[in-house]
Amino acid sequence: MIGCGYLGAVHAAAMASLGHNVVGVDKDPVKVDRLAGGEAPFFEPGLEELLERGAVSGSLEFTTDLGRVAGAKIHFVCVGTPQAASGLGADLAALDGAVDSLIPFLSPGNVVVGKSTAPVGTARRLAGALPAGVALVWNPEFLREGSAVADTLRPDRIVYGVADSGEPRGAAELDSVYGSILEAGVPRLAMSYESAELVKTAANSYLAVRVSFINAVSDLADASGADVLDVAAALRLDPRIGSRFLNPGLGFGGGCLPKDLRALAARADELEAPLTADLLRVADCVNEARIGRVAALAAAGLGGSLDGRRVALLGLAFKPLSDDVRNSPAVRLAAALAGAGARVVATDPVAVGAARPGLEFAVGVREAVAGAELLVLATEWPQYRELDPAEVAGWTAARVIVDARCVLDRAVWAAAGWTVLAPGRPSPDPRRLS
Ligand code: UDX
């Protein structure tokens, strides 16, 4: 396993749990030490159990020494492909570097498996660089943070991108790696390299566009007096639309959706598909605008200005069950509130490493809300959704909460004396804001 970030660490532990002998290689000695000690370098339910089991059985090893991959039959490439510093496209330096440095250790009959998310066209280029007799299969990963172990061991589908001339080389070897998963009936689709690459970026971009779509409807609801949650509830009952990924609010973030949407837009431009690029870029703009939208709601909740006001922010992770703050809408909102002059005191059950100038930390909700004039629910952790509004009212004099994720039961909060403001939802009683 080359690269032991989110994808590689989970994949390594999951493959060891299937009975394979796995060597995970990463350049970061601190990460390697933690993984080797059975400790997950990020919050991911179920991962530490697998790491410990792999360490005890001896089937899972982590190292900084790439030479340890010599003799392996299958080489998974799991390095990151972040957004390039210079533009919207993906930075492929780590991917190209990983494949280059792997080449001296490859022997005929080996299979290189690309799992990194890469722009369409990358796999065919990399396949051309591999030694004769070494096959490349492009095998995108669809794991979600927070359910990464289950997503790896029980995926919705397995996609193989193969060189489309002749035999799909490498597919049989990869079938043997995924044996028990395939036997459980998980669909496995073989297609060209280009299709497999596009599956991954299209899947993430579709999810992003879908979230932006419901947030665009949220803006229409605000402008017309409709309630976006009523609209979404009815949309979900149409089986053609489906029920998931229609939660409006603060928009999408994390290490994948934003960068993959932008990378696909950039690739669409290169491939001279300007309308596709426009569609994706507008979804990105709709998402970016969520922060200002919710910040304006917070200002409204304080009578028009955030300047000098103390705001408690509940949640920093980009979504619940994660400590990831990459591109986190909650962190971006905190910055926007602070930028408008607010003194922001933030808390999160696990994402405690998101220190930013102008942002104070509190260890829990009680500490965060003490002295606050306004509360903002920015990440919908279950423990925040289940807060007892009467109890919270005992911890703070604030009586307005901005429900940026549209998850609170407004009637219950109103009964305890709160005004709940949520984007896309008509204000329950605007007179209480004055
Ligand atoms: C995503 C893809 O889901 C996964 O298949 C891929 O392999 C990696 O990228 P992840 O980054 O873990 O996974 O996050 P995801 O659960 O997709 O959520 C992304 C963002 O969208 C979060 O910020 C979440 O809060 C937001 N979101 C999601 C919404 O705002 N509304 C929704 O209805 C759903």
Side-chain angles (χ1 to χ4, degrees):
M1 211 69 61
I2 315 299
C4 295
Y6 224 104
L7 168 58
V10 173
H11 206 64
M15 293 304 105
S17 80
L18 293 181
H20 304 300
N21 287 316
V22 180
V23 180
V25 185
D26 199 284
K27 287 182 172 161
D28 178 350
V30 177
K31 193 187 287 174
V32 162
D33 277 353
R34 291 179 71 177
L35 287 164
E39 193 193 327
F42 42 80
F43 177 83
E44 185 60 44
L47 179 57
E48 289 202 334
E49 287 88 313
L50 292 193
L51 290 171
E52 273 162 31
R53 235 193 286 159
V56 169
S57 70
S59 61
L60 180 59
E61 162 189 343
F62 291 97
T63 176
T64 53
D65 176 11
L66 186 64
R68 291 284 301 128
V69 307
K73 292 198 175 80
I74 315 267
H75 303 265
F76 287 96
V77 180
C78 301
V79 296
T81 51
Q83 185 177 333
S86 57
L88 297 182
D91 177 350
L92 300 182
L95 180 58
D96 289 342
V99 172
D100 275 353
S101 52
L102 193 55
I103 286 173
F105 301 103
L106 297 173
S107 324
N110 283 181
V111 181
V112 175
V113 184
K115 292 201 77 70
S116 304
T117 300
V120 55
T122 308
R124 196 164 295 279
R125 175 173 64 77
L126 294 177
L130 294 180
V134 175
L136 176 73
V137 179
W138 209 258
N139 172 222
E141 182 57 56
F142 305 99
L143 61 80
R144 295 160 298 173
E145 297 188 15
S147 53
V149 171
D151 287 348
T152 304
L153 292 172
R154 288 183 294 283
D156 301 320
R157 72 288 206 198
I158 292 181
V159 172
Y160 291 177
V162 290
D164 47 2
S165 51
E167 265 296 280
R169 288 190 310 129
E173 290 85 341
L174 199 49
D175 280 351
S176 70
V177 173
Y178 292 142
S180 58
I181 300 175
L182 293 169
E183 277 159 25
V186 172
R188 173 253 215 215
L189 291 87
M191 57 188 75
S192 69
Y193 286 142
E194 289 77 12
S195 301
E197 292 166 318
L198 207 49
V199 167
K200 170 67 198 214
T201 43
N204 273 359
S205 296
Y206 175 72
L207 293 172
V209 168
R210 195 170 152 98
V211 172
S212 277
F213 181 81
I214 198 66
N215 282 328
V217 172
S218 170
D219 282 347
L220 286 180
D222 273 333
S224 62
D227 186 332
V228 66
L229 288 193
D230 289 340
V231 178
L235 291 179
R236 286 190 174 99
L237 295 177
D238 183 334
R240 293 170 304 173
I241 295 175
S243 65
R244 299 171 69 185
F245 263 76
L246 278 183
N247 301 325
L250 198 49
F252 58 82
C256 293
L257 259 52
K259 80 159 171 85
D260 290 349
L261 180 73
R262 290 173 189 156
L264 189 57
R267 193 74 185 111
D269 271 333
E270 288 167 4
L271 295 170
E272 296 181 7
L275 294 178
T276 309
D278 284 349
L279 173 72
L280 301 171
R281 263 195 293 267
V282 169
D284 192 15
C285 292
V286 169
N287 194 54
E288 292 290 299
R290 298 317 290 165
I291 306 300
R293 175 79 201 86
V294 175
L297 210 51
L302 287 169
S305 172
L306 289 156
D307 199 21
R309 313 297 291 274
R310 183 169 161 149
V311 175
L313 189 87
L314 309 187
L316 284 166
F318 85 103
K319 68 173 189 179
L321 290 182
S322 170
D323 63 352
D324 199 344
V325 293
R326 284 176 296 170
N327 253 309
S328 169
V331 172
R332 292 173 52 230
L333 177 63
L337 298 174
R343 187 179 149 210
V344 182
V345 181
T347 186
D348 189 282
V350 295
V352 290
R356 297 283 187 286
L359 186 62
E360 284 173 46
F361 272 103
V363 288
V365 174
R366 190 177 183 145
E367 295 75 10
V369 303
E373 298 166 85
L374 177 87
L375 276 49
V376 179
L377 196 166
T379 309
E380 71 278 30
W381 282 93
Q383 49 269 60
Y384 298 162
R385 300 174 72 145
E386 288 153 19
L387 280 169
D388 174 354
E391 194 177 15
V392 181
W395 300 336
T396 175
R399 287 295 177 272
V400 181
I401 180 165
V402 174
D403 176 14
R405 295 291 187 169
C406 301
V407 291
L408 296 180
D409 185 331
R410 296 201 299 178
V412 171
W413 281 74
W418 289 85
T419 297
V420 182
L421 301 178
R425 310 202 69 193
S427 175
D429 182 357
R431 282 161 304 166
R432 297 177 69 156
L433 293 178
S434 55

